[in-house]
Amino acid sequence: MTPLLEGSPPPAAARSLLVPVIGGYLLGSIPVAVLVGRVHGFDPRSVGDRNPGFWNVMQRVGGRSAAPVFAGDLLKGTAAGLLGLAAGRARKGPLRPVAGDGVLPVYAAVGAAMAGHAWPVFAGRKGGRCVLTFAGGFAVICPPAFGLGLGLLAATGVGGRSFARGARVAVFSLPALQLLFAPAAHVAGTGALMSLIGLRFGQAALADRADRRPGRREEPPAR
């Protein structure tokens, strides 16, 4: 029976989660957008929508220069998922969904990487919305659903002439696509991961509203 969401893990299993959780969080905390922005002379946390992620950097320096942010944030989730697989000693083919003893460590590692991206220890707890980190981790969780999501991204992005719209459609379709290959308990775990994305968007909206209050003094840009 799949261990995900079925009560508290036994002590030995809990100890086995320490490596993927700590490792996933540290991987997620690597501030790729901040590092790339620094190379180009700005801090994405103080320009545009102040989100240290791909879209904000791309609007500042263009898609080619922002490509390392896209790849880096995606790979943080993938690396965390693979770390979870190794910690759970799970054996699966490259195109098969995670199953058995690997489920809980993989979900824990990807969730920790998303938390690290959102509240990074290496960047003053000021992180991004963790969409790409989630997508990279989901590629390990359920490769066939991820592949279908890429196809949906291409179709909707080209058809609607908007990569951003295609990306939104693809990401929010992943749980439904996962149902084709994995049990509902796994999809519930994916929904829990996606709730972190919603939390970060909500926090960003509240922060933006607070910054727009009359009389609030503007802080100088970070150097």
Side-chain angles (χ1 to χ4, degrees), residues 3-128:
L4 183 66
L5 304 178
E6 292 179 0
S8 300
R15 287 194 297 269
S16 73
L17 293 179
L18 286 177
V19 170
V21 168
I22 294 173
Y25 179 76
L26 293 177
L27 284 167
S29 289
I30 299 172
V32 181
V34 174
L35 295 174
V36 171
R38 188 175 297 168
V39 170
H40 293 277
F42 72 98
D43 187 339
R45 297 169 296 181
S46 61
V47 300
D49 65 1
R50 290 175 295 181
N51 176 45
F54 169 71
W55 294 108
N56 195 22
V57 175
M58 181 184 68
Q59 290 175 351
R60 186 83 175 181
V61 300
R64 180 174 297 179
S65 295
V69 182
F70 186 95
D73 286 350
L74 194 76
L75 289 174
K76 289 192 296 187
T78 302
L82 293 174
L83 178 62
L85 277 181
R89 298 179 181 179
R91 295 181 180 179
K92 77 179 189 70
L95 298 180
R96 297 183 62 184
V98 65
D101 292 339
V103 174
L104 190 56
V106 168
Y107 272 88
V110 173
M114 293 173 66
H117 182 85
W119 303 283
V121 68
F122 303 133
R125 313 285 181 181
K126 296 179 180 180

